Amino acid sequence: MNKVSIHINELGPVRNQSIELKPVMLFTGESSLGKSYVNFLSYYLFYTFYSERMKDFLMEKIDGAVDNKDTFSIQFSKADFVEWLQNDVKNFFVYLYNFDEFKCDVKFIFEGVDDYFDIKYTKVAEKINDIDVLIFQAEINGKKDHYVDVFSQKRDLFICSSLCDVLCAKFLGHDIKGSYLLPPGRASLLTGDYTVQRGSSKMGLYDLFLRDNDFINSEALRNKPKNPKNTTRTSLVQKLINGELMSEKEGLFLITKDRQKIPIGAVASSIRELTPLLQLILSDSISNRAICIEEPEAHLHPEMQISIADLLASCINGQAFLQITTHSDYFMQRINQLLKYGSIREQAPDKYNALCKTTGHLPDCYLNKEDLNAYYFSSENGQTKIELLNIGNEGVPLSTFFNAVGILSKEDELLNDELERLKLQ
């Protein structure tokens, strides 16, 4: 992935802090310090290359009407694009929270990207196999690049849509095929029929969430496999929910091990909140997708928190891009173990395979430290401090994260001592 940094001048309570984008962004630490804001900021960059927002920017750069032209061009500088991003992200957060006064002042820094883009399109063919379609070839800064198939109408829209993918690869170093905002805490109210719940809130956060769930559910129904593949991810999903998910025209159902068919609205919230993510995974639509998840461990038993960490690791190894917040020490400890598994796998593959057989660990569940940036949020002199945690062979240093556990342990010792003294009286 290209080196992409974001300097936060002001974002809600966060001021004068910086983060660097990686395929996996993990935010943990104290509450009410802006973790969700920074998580959504990370998600925004992946999302914008796939959204209508980016197409709007490009449409403004086309040199006039293109409907009847055989050649046309799009020109802009990196500075133009960065300035547009920095204004657009403000609008994104205003929309997300329905709050016109939301404070958002950030700077995006892209390294290794051309300073200027001169993109010329030339028609090279039309009518393929009697289909009325035009073929344009792009030339970027004097070098031949990609081809675009467009229909005679709205050719500018086809061109801009294709160019979004190309620019995503140039700016981020990856081609993002989709983006989803899936904070599980918002899913507990869902019953599987997402469309009817549109417009239930003025906040864009919910609108995006419901829209993405709509799309995932319809895709799962349309691409329902006749013989589901028995992969690591499907077995982890079945273990996690103790059954199977089934999409039908009537809605989404949980099929229990004894073959009971339960509407998703009637199952436990711990399962209901995960169904959008699980549907996405089961439809085999993880690769090159960006997925923003708020507290994936929400309402889960500790053993399920471990399972969801394994499942997400398998998704990451399937080329998913994840932006995650968490408050769970169980989840973080499992992330640490998965990083250790990844370190052993990298240094000694044979020993890794033997270790997996000994422990029963699934070989696809590991993490590479190069793919992940973990940030710890704390308060310092009344200000939010974001610390990049140094990930070594031992995983993420979590001593600060376990302060609460230490406080509880000390207090528990005092209580036990007092109870023992009462027994002796």
Side-chain angles (χ1 to χ4, degrees):
M1 185 168 185
N2 292 351
K3 186 172 182 180
V4 180
S5 303
I6 309 174
H7 181 74
I8 304 168
N9 294 316
E10 184 175 13
L11 184 67
V14 183
R15 290 172 176 79
N16 197 30
Q17 302 291 313
S18 296
I19 60 172
E20 181 182 335
L21 214 60
K22 284 287 183 76
V24 185
M25 300 292 286
L26 182 60
F27 303 102
T28 187
E30 299 175 23
S31 299
S32 303
L33 294 179
K35 287 192 300 297
S36 292
Y37 294 151
V38 179
N39 196 33
F40 293 146
L41 176 63
S42 301
Y43 164 77
Y44 167 80
L45 266 186
F46 292 104
Y47 158 76
T48 197
F49 282 97
Y50 186 71
S51 71
E52 297 298 321
R53 314 174 82 90
M54 180 69 177
K55 294 173 190 174
D56 290 343
F57 167 77
L58 294 173
M59 293 279 276
E60 293 178 357
K61 301 298 179 182
I62 295 178
D63 58 344
V66 301
D67 284 347
N68 298 310
K69 290 184 178 179
D70 289 342
T71 62
F72 57 91
S73 63
I74 299 175
Q75 298 172 327
F76 62 93
S77 67
K78 181 171 76 170
D80 289 337
F81 179 60
V82 169
E83 182 180 4
W84 175 81
L85 277 177
Q86 289 166 186
N87 288 319
D88 185 67
V89 72
K90 297 176 187 177
N91 297 329
F92 175 73
F93 273 97
V94 167
Y95 161 70
L96 209 61
Y97 289 102
N98 191 33
F99 180 36
D100 291 339
E101 303 303 319
F102 190 92
K103 302 296 183 183
C104 178
D105 179 10
V106 302
K107 182 179 181 181
F108 297 100
I109 304 164
F110 299 93
E111 297 188 17
V113 179
D114 290 338
D115 289 330
Y116 192 80
F117 289 89
D118 183 1
I119 307 165
K120 295 181 179 178
Y121 285 93
T122 304
K123 188 174 72 173
V124 295
E126 56 184 295
K127 283 191 180 294
I128 299 178
N129 297 328
D130 295 327
I131 299 174
D132 188 16
V133 62
L134 307 176
I135 310 297
F136 283 82
Q137 182 175 38
E139 186 180 278
I140 300 181
N141 294 343
K143 295 181 180 179
K144 291 183 178 180
D145 202 273
H146 59 286
Y147 289 90
V148 187
D149 299 350
V150 304
F151 293 95
S152 57
Q153 294 181 341
K154 297 183 179 179
R155 68 175 66 175
D156 51 357
L157 188 60
F158 281 96
I159 292 289
C160 290
S161 179
S162 174
L163 188 53
C164 284
D165 294 338
V166 174
L167 293 176
C168 183
K170 290 186 179 297
F171 277 86
L172 300 185
H174 286 281
D175 182 9
I176 305 301
K177 296 297 185 184
S179 61
Y180 307 95
L181 185 64
L182 302 178
R186 318 290 194 250
S188 59
L189 300 178
L190 298 180
T191 61
D193 186 3
Y194 307 129
T195 304
V196 298
Q197 298 172 77
R198 292 283 192 92
S200 60
S201 172
K202 294 181 180 180
M203 293 177 67
L205 173 64
Y206 290 89
D207 184 54
L208 280 178
F209 177 46
L210 294 172
R211 181 207 65 185
D212 290 344
N213 277 282
D214 255 347
F215 179 81
I216 291 169
N217 220 37
S218 61
E219 283 293 293
L221 184 60
R222 183 161 50 246
N223 300 322
K224 184 178 177 181
K226 294 181 179 179
N227 297 302
K229 298 176 183 178
N230 186 22
T231 65
T232 295
R233 288 193 284 276
T234 56
S235 63
L236 283 169
V237 169
Q238 291 170 6
K239 176 185 176 183
L240 191 66
I241 65 177
N242 200 27
E244 301 174 19
L245 288 177
M246 178 181 292
S247 290
E248 296 184 350
K249 291 181 179 180
E250 296 78 14
L252 185 61
F253 298 88
L254 171 68
I255 309 301
T256 64
K257 288 188 174 181
D258 59 359
R259 308 312 296 174
Q260 291 187 59
K261 184 178 176 181
I262 305 173
I264 205 64
V267 303
S269 62
S270 58
I271 295 176
R272 190 162 65 246
E273 291 181 356
L274 289 172
T275 52
L277 173 65
L278 302 184
Q279 284 283 80
L280 188 61
I281 292 169
L282 292 172
S283 64
D284 202 23
S285 301
I286 284 294
S287 181
N288 294 320
R289 265 63 176 183
I291 308 167
C292 181
I293 312 174
E294 290 280 285
E295 300 176 28
E297 76 281 354
H299 303 160
L300 296 183
H301 183 276
E303 289 184 5
M304 291 182 72
Q305 293 184 33
I306 293 170
S307 294
I308 196 66
D310 287 355
L311 180 59
L312 292 177
S314 180
C315 292
I316 292 162
N317 294 325
Q319 303 305 309
F321 298 82
L322 298 181
Q323 304 85 50
I324 305 169
T325 62
T326 181
H327 287 110
S328 169
D329 56 342
Y330 297 108
F331 182 82
M332 286 298 296
Q333 284 188 70
R334 188 54 172 176
I335 291 295
N336 247 6
Q337 289 182 343
L338 295 171
L339 285 164
K340 292 175 184 178
Y341 272 114
S343 180
I344 295 169
R345 180 181 180 274
E346 182 180 11
Q347 296 178 58
D350 291 341
K351 290 184 178 179
Y352 174 75
N353 291 329
L355 179 64
C356 288
K357 288 181 180 179
T358 300
T359 61
H361 183 77
L362 294 171
D364 290 346
C365 299
Y366 63 89
L367 289 172
N368 291 319
K369 60 184 179 182
E370 294 80 11
D371 293 335
L372 186 148
N373 267 351
Y375 290 92
Y376 183 81
F377 283 60
S378 61
S379 179
E380 189 174 271
N381 299 322
Q383 301 291 322
T384 296
K385 178 184 177 183
I386 304 177
E387 176 188 359
L388 174 63
L389 299 176
N390 182 33
I391 303 175
N393 289 334
E394 302 301 317
V396 181
L398 294 175
S399 56
T400 51
F401 193 75
F402 296 117
N403 284 344
V405 177
I407 292 169
L408 286 173
S409 296
K410 289 180 180 179
E411 192 166 343
D412 204 40
E413 289 179 11
L414 290 172
L415 291 170
N416 288 335
D417 289 344
E418 187 61 34
L419 287 169
E420 285 298 319
R421 281 193 289 270
L422 290 172
K423 284 181 184 180
L424 297 175
Q425 289 181 1

